[in-house]
Amino acid sequence: MERRPTGPNRTTGLLLGDRTGHDDRLRRFAAIWSRALHPTAETSLTRAEFENQLLPLAATLRDALHARVFDPRPATGVGTALVRAQCTDPEVLPLVLGVIDAYLVLYCPPGPAVSPEESRARCARLQHAVAAGFARALHEHTVAEQQAAARLARAEAEQALRSSEARFRAVFEGAAVGVGIADVDGRIMDVNDALIRMFGGLEQEVTGRNVGELVHPDDGPGIWGLYRELVRGDRDYYRVEKPYYRGDGSVLWTDMSVALLRDAAGRPQYQLALMEDITERRMLHERLRYEATHDVLTGLPNRALFFERLDRALESGAEDARFGLCYLDIDGFKAVNDSLGHAVGDRLLVAVADRLRSCVCGPGELVARLGGDEFVALTAGPAADTDAAALARRMLAALSGPVTVDGRDLAVRASIGIVTGAAGESGAAEVLRSADITMYRAKAAGGNRYETADADSDARAIARHSLTNRLPAAFDNGEFFIEYQPLVRLDDGTVRGAEALVRWLHPVHGVLGPDQFIPLAESTGLIVPLGRWVLEQAARQARAWGGTGDGRAPLRVNVNLSPSQLRCPTLVADTVAVLDDAGLDPSALCLEVTENALIGADEEELHTLRRLADLGVDIALDDFGTGYSNLSYLRRLPVSTLKLDRSFTRGMQQAPADPVDVKIVEGIVSLAHTLDLSVTVEGVETGTQAEHLRSLGCDTAQGWYYARPGPPERLHTLSLADVAS
């Protein structure tokens, strides 16, 4: 391999180049942002100057997206800074969020440490934070503009009451904000035209009423306590946001300042209210809040709102506070997208969301869409454990009927994982991980059901995930090794060969057997390179053993072949290359394929095995008898050996042998020999068992009676030790 130059100059160049690349991508993102916002910004800056003003804000978003521990709060300051940069038109915000959504991850990707799904989730939460900061800053900006006018109106109104009614009326009637005067008993005495217009245009709807009648269900906590303190003279001023009903039933939201006017002796005499109509701003805020916290496709609460509610449930300080979470995934949804298209898939998701929404029946319950075909339901309260199970049953029942999309009835099945617990015991990430693990356990059990989380299952799943992540590095670091278990001829007790069994020397867990990592290697695709490595090592070892020296066939090595390897198009070529490289005769190699793998094999896979058999490689049918054995199927398989599963011979470990097992084995041996197949028996553990199998005509055997798997130099060291003793 060509060695690249090293040294300070090259290292510095790489670092500078990498930083320059990041800065260029950030600059392109800021340029796109500037083109979108500059036409609507109330600024005298040129677009280039405006772009430079946006550049540090873009860097803030990028740094938050890239952070090892994600925190969306810095993005709130970005929304605030945009308002300070004169982006005060409410229509600016959709442009801001649109650019972030479309281009932030594209131009400033966080790298391989953060998955694409997590990158998009982070981007969504950053948009939420930007929207929150923008709305708050826009509100403060508007309030600041109005406060000066409000202070002037209050001061002039107060002076007018004390000195000149004519002068007061001029200010009172000409004020741009709504002004109302009431006595300390709460009776509204006078209102100006601006306030009348705010309430719908009829003076009698307001004048003469008592302030205490103007209660609204959405009044903030403590509003009326502040009012009572003011009319008692305990405070001179308060300011709140308060809703009112108009005459037509619609809601008027006001930013209201109330001041106490005293007489010359300092006694409370009047209360003066200045009101600004903030209904549109409030509606904008609510719309932005809704868009930031709800899924665009289904209208359900989204991931951001769900985590807000989950955090609130987990942080509850109530002594009996409990929570229940249902994590739902649609079974087979990918097949709908792949076969019918994503448009149909989206409409199916909308229909599923509508049905799940109907399952919420209490104020403490919430159904949200996390993304894709994943939904979550949350319930909180002392009875959350039973409520969560009931909620899961309602969800499954709601999805039991077919969903009609474009005139086509689609059956919907779902798997649900339930996690329950007491508030304060776990964090949101831990709860969601446990629910996800439990959901996959329900899916593995056949789907269309729910399972409840338990710590042991979570621990096993986490351990499997840890091993799966470690596998590639383990292969690169040479942590795998091979042990060999002798195959013994039953007629004379001599060694016929050995089965190669791969082991993993894990740096933490020690030696792991193939049953602990081979399924993981299958699922990740590592089984193909790992299987080739085992084949190479076993072939070289068989060549090193050489012949038996007794005129019989050379010692043979058995190597297991996984279903993924069987489907690999280069299997034959790889096997030939390994044999040639090791200088091993094909007859000294036996490839073991499980019965279950061959039952579902298509003609192409069988053709691969036939080509190997034509080369002289033996093919063994492993675990024979554990699948749906079709004995007539043996005639078309290119196998030379049946490896009988140990479950058929356990009844022979002691005398007298189980007569049923004897009859079964006797029949299989007779059939195999009729088809010119040899029979190998696994799991031989006692001398009595070995003698029974020899008398029934079995050809070879392996098991702890002869030897446990070990290093290659111990191939001929047979213990002949009964496990039973």
Side-chain angles (χ1 to χ4, degrees):
M1 180 181 293
E2 180 181 354
R3 183 180 300 276
R4 296 183 179 180
T6 60
N9 291 338
R10 171 168 174 77
T11 302
T12 303
L14 287 172
L15 292 174
L16 287 174
D18 185 63
R19 184 169 64 249
T20 301
H22 283 301
D23 291 344
D24 287 344
R25 290 192 293 271
L26 185 66
R27 172 67 71 176
R28 289 197 293 273
F29 173 76
I32 294 171
W33 215 8
S34 173
R35 284 197 296 272
L37 302 186
H38 187 263
T40 61
E42 298 176 4
T43 177
S44 60
L45 298 178
T46 66
R47 198 181 67 77
E49 292 170 336
F50 189 68
E51 179 180 327
N52 287 332
Q53 194 171 14
L54 293 181
L55 191 58
L57 305 185
T60 298
L61 294 177
R62 177 199 61 191
D63 294 342
L65 181 68
H66 290 198
R68 184 176 65 84
V69 178
F70 178 66
D71 183 3
R73 286 176 293 182
T76 305
V78 172
T80 301
L82 288 171
V83 174
R84 291 174 181 167
Q86 303 305 313
C87 297
T88 55
D89 189 333
E91 295 304 319
V92 167
L93 187 56
L95 301 177
V96 172
L97 300 182
V99 172
I100 296 173
D101 182 70
Y103 297 103
L104 179 60
V105 176
L106 179 64
Y107 282 100
C108 305
V114 181
S115 68
E117 293 79 11
E118 177 62 15
S119 297
R120 296 307 308 167
R122 287 185 175 190
C123 184
R125 295 184 69 183
L126 288 174
Q127 293 174 60
H128 183 194
V130 168
F134 183 92
R136 184 167 59 248
L138 184 60
H139 167 72
E140 292 171 353
H141 174 79
T142 305
V143 168
E145 290 183 337
Q146 296 293 335
Q147 274 185 329
R151 283 194 297 269
L152 177 61
R154 185 174 68 249
E156 291 182 348
E158 196 169 3
Q159 178 62 29
L161 284 172
R162 291 176 178 169
S163 59
S164 169
E165 178 65 21
R167 190 175 170 190
F168 166 75
R169 296 308 302 181
V171 174
F172 184 78
E173 297 296 345
V177 297
V179 183
I181 301 174
D183 60 24
V184 290
D185 294 325
R187 184 175 61 86
I188 300 173
M189 302 168 60
D190 203 356
V191 294
N192 69 351
D193 290 342
L195 191 142
I196 292 171
R197 288 192 298 270
M198 289 167 56
F199 273 84
L202 297 176
E203 183 177 358
Q204 57 269 30
E205 291 289 336
V206 182
T207 306
R209 298 185 65 182
N210 192 283
V211 171
E213 300 174 11
L214 305 178
V215 176
H216 191 278
D218 292 332
D219 283 340
I223 282 182
W224 293 102
L226 294 173
Y227 171 77
R228 286 188 290 272
E229 291 178 8
L230 183 126
V231 296
R232 287 199 308 265
D234 295 338
R235 69 166 51 241
D236 290 318
Y237 170 82
Y238 68 87
R239 177 180 173 183
V240 292
E241 287 190 3
K242 178 172 171 27
Y244 292 95
Y245 285 116
R246 293 190 178 101
D248 61 1
S250 62
V251 176
L252 164 70
W253 274 94
T254 67
D255 185 344
M256 181 175 68
S257 300
V258 183
L260 180 67
L261 304 180
R262 301 176 184 267
D263 60 17
R267 292 185 296 269
Q269 189 172 20
Y270 302 105
Q271 46 182 317
L272 174 68
L274 305 179
M275 298 185 187
E276 176 197 356
D277 185 350
I278 61 169
T279 305
E280 289 188 8
R281 190 175 73 209
R282 182 83 181 195
M283 291 175 63
L284 171 63
H285 174 78
E286 293 297 329
R287 180 166 63 85
L288 293 175
R289 166 71 178 170
Y290 183 87
E291 291 176 354
T293 58
H294 285 75
D295 178 52
V296 175
L297 177 65
T298 64
L300 287 177
N302 64 9
R303 175 185 288 266
L305 181 55
F306 165 73
F307 273 105
E308 284 183 14
R309 290 285 298 274
L310 179 59
D311 288 339
R312 194 184 311 161
L314 295 178
E315 294 169 2
S316 173
E319 185 176 347
D320 58 349
R322 296 189 65 80
F323 73 92
L325 186 147
C326 300
Y327 192 110
L328 181 147
D329 183 88
I330 300 175
D331 298 334
F333 180 73
K334 184 177 183 298
V336 175
N337 274 342
D338 292 345
S339 60
L340 302 178
H342 287 269
V344 173
D346 285 349
R347 286 194 285 275
L348 176 61
L349 290 175
V350 171
V352 167
D354 289 340
R355 294 191 182 188
L356 296 181
R357 187 184 288 107
S358 68
C359 298
V360 174
C361 60
E365 294 183 349
L366 170 79
V367 172
R369 182 187 179 211
L370 287 187
D373 61 330
E374 296 176 324
F375 297 85
V376 284
L378 179 66
T379 183
D385 299 66
T386 56
D387 289 347
L391 181 55
R393 287 191 292 270
R394 291 199 301 272
M395 294 165 75
L396 291 175
L399 299 178
S400 60
V403 174
T404 302
V405 178
D406 294 345
R408 182 187 291 107
D409 285 345
L410 301 177
V412 180
R413 292 163 51 90
S415 299
I416 301 176
I418 299 177
V419 177
T420 61
E425 290 183 348
S426 306
E430 183 182 352
V431 170
L432 203 65
R433 180 185 63 185
S434 179
D436 189 29
I437 291 170
T438 308
M439 179 271 292
Y440 277 106
R441 185 151 52 86
K443 197 176 288 287
N448 203 35
R449 58 184 291 142
Y450 69 83
E451 294 285 344
T452 303
D454 68 83
D456 291 341
S457 296
D458 285 2
R460 287 193 295 270
I462 294 169
R464 284 196 301 272
H465 180 71
S466 175
L467 291 178
T468 302
N469 286 342
R470 173 72 187 176
L471 271 172
F475 185 69
D476 293 339
N477 296 339
E479 295 177 9
F480 294 99
F481 67 97
I482 299 175
E483 292 186 328
Y484 297 88
Q485 186 172 40
L487 288 160
V488 178
R489 296 183 182 93
L490 284 168
D491 58 355
D492 60 6
T494 59
V495 174
R496 172 71 178 90
E499 180 178 1
L501 299 168
V502 64
R503 305 286 191 254
W504 180 4
L505 183 57
H506 193 282
V508 175
H509 303 295
V511 176
L512 302 178
D515 58 317
Q516 295 175 278
F517 64 85
I518 290 297
L520 306 180
E522 276 277 355
S523 65
T524 60
L526 187 67
I527 191 65
V528 173
L530 178 60
R532 181 186 169 100
W533 178 83
V534 172
L535 183 61
E536 291 171 347
Q537 300 301 311
R540 293 194 188 105
Q541 184 57 58
R543 182 70 181 86
W545 281 328
T548 61
D550 57 4
R552 298 192 185 191
L555 292 175
R556 186 179 71 182
V557 65
N558 287 27
V559 178
N560 291 285
L561 198 65
S562 77
S564 295
Q565 290 175 276
L566 185 60
R567 291 188 292 270
C568 181
T570 62
L571 175 61
V572 175
D574 289 346
T575 304
V576 171
V578 168
L579 292 173
D580 289 345
D581 183 63
L584 185 68
D585 189 274
S587 63
L589 174 65
C590 177
L591 295 176
E592 298 187 7
V593 185
T594 63
E595 180 184 19
N596 285 330
L598 280 188
I599 286 174
D602 56 26
E603 191 56 39
E604 183 177 349
E605 292 166 346
L606 293 181
H607 178 67
T608 299
L609 289 180
R610 291 192 182 99
R611 290 176 61 194
L612 290 169
D614 291 342
L615 292 172
V617 176
D618 279 343
I619 308 296
L621 189 59
D622 196 13
D623 296 335
F624 181 76
T626 59
Y628 296 99
S629 304
N630 185 343
L631 300 181
S632 64
Y633 190 62
L634 292 174
R635 300 182 61 184
R636 54 186 297 262
L637 296 179
V639 300
S640 56
T641 302
L642 295 184
K643 289 197 73 173
L644 191 60
D645 187 71
R646 68 186 65 202
S647 61
F648 291 103
T649 64
R650 288 197 183 99
M652 301 182 189
Q653 290 182 353
Q654 296 178 347
D658 186 319
V660 175
D661 284 353
V662 170
K663 287 293 184 182
I664 292 174
V665 174
E666 184 178 30
I668 292 175
V669 171
S670 175
L671 174 65
H673 288 170
T674 300
L675 297 174
D676 200 23
L677 305 175
S678 64
V679 177
T680 297
V681 183
E682 300 177 292
V684 177
E685 298 184 347
T686 70
T688 301
Q689 189 179 12
E691 180 57 30
H692 282 308
L693 296 170
R694 184 196 62 77
S695 65
L696 290 172
C698 297
D699 300 287
T700 54
Q702 66 185 96
W704 286 8
Y705 171 67
Y706 299 107
R708 300 191 181 202
E713 60 269 16
R714 286 172 43 195
L715 177 64
H716 294 281
T717 305
L718 303 181
S719 59
L720 302 181
D722 279 1
V723 173
S725 62

